[in-house]
């Protein structure tokens, strides 16, 4: 593993990926190369990539208050397109991002939190 990158764990899907400190969490997710990663404006204004940082240090750039309120931001809610890791991170997708990323998962996996495959193939 590259010492200049941090591990990002997407709690909703069990996926993990490496992300450079200069790279946004959304750009790292896109590099996974799988379907279901919602991408909008990439500038903090549309809210498509709304997520919650559950654990870890990060640097957040300006985000639209129409998408993330000050109270939400204080509770770790961010837009993945505006956040860069400063250490290993655990992230939980919210709203549309969660629906898009978990669409291919069975209800049992989502409710029980079991590890899943990162493949798009259906059984």
């Amino acid at each position: 593993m590259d010492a200049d990158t941090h591990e990002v764990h997407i709690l909703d899907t069990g996926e993990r990926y490496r992300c450079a400190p200069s790279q946004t969490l959304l750009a790292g997710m896109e590099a996974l190369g799988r379907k279901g990663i919602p991408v909008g404006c990439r500038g903090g204004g549309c809210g498509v990539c709304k997520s919650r940082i559950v654990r870890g240090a990060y640097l957040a750039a300006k985000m639209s208050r129409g998408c993330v309120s000050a109270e939400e931001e204080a509770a770790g809610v961010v837009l993945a397109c505006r956040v860069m890791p400063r250490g290993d991170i655990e992230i939980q997708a919210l709203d549309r991002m969660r629906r898009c990323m978990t669409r291919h998962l069975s209800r049992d996996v989502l409710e029980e939190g079991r590890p899943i495959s990162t493949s798009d193939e259906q059984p």
Side-chain angles (χ1 to χ4, degrees), residues 10-50:
I10 305 170
L11 297 174
D12 308 277
T13 65
E15 293 168 292
R16 295 175 187 269
Y17 65 92
R18 302 298 297 176
C19 193
S22 61
Q23 183 180 38
T24 66
L25 297 180
L26 181 62
M29 283 180 212
E30 289 180 280
L32 285 171
R34 75 155 179 88
K35 296 176 186 175
I37 306 293
V39 177
C41 70
R42 291 187 179 92
C46 73
V48 170
C49 60
K50 194 171 187 177

Side-chain angles (χ1 to χ4, degrees), residues 8-17 29 32 34-38 90-94 96-106 109-120:
V8 179
H9 179 196
I10 305 170
L11 297 174
D12 308 277
T13 65
E15 293 168 292
R16 295 175 187 269
Y17 65 92
M29 283 180 212
L32 285 171
R34 75 155 179 88
K35 296 176 186 175
I37 306 293
E90 290 181 350
I91 187 170
Q92 176 185 29
L94 300 175
R96 183 173 175 199
M97 181 128 172
R98 178 171 168 72
R99 287 189 303 273
C100 291
M101 291 185 71
T102 60
R103 181 175 310 163
H104 68 286
L105 302 178
S106 75
V109 170
L110 292 174
E111 290 175 356
E112 294 178 20
R114 293 184 305 205
I116 60 145
S117 166
T118 57
S119 169
D120 279 316

Side-chain angles (χ1 to χ4, degrees), residues 11 25 28 41 43-44 47 52 63 73-74 76-77 79 82 85 100 107 113:
L11 297 174
L25 297 180
C41 70
R52 175 178 288 113
M63 296 173 269
E73 188 173 359
V77 175
L79 300 177
R82 305 300 287 164
C100 291
R107 180 176 294 284

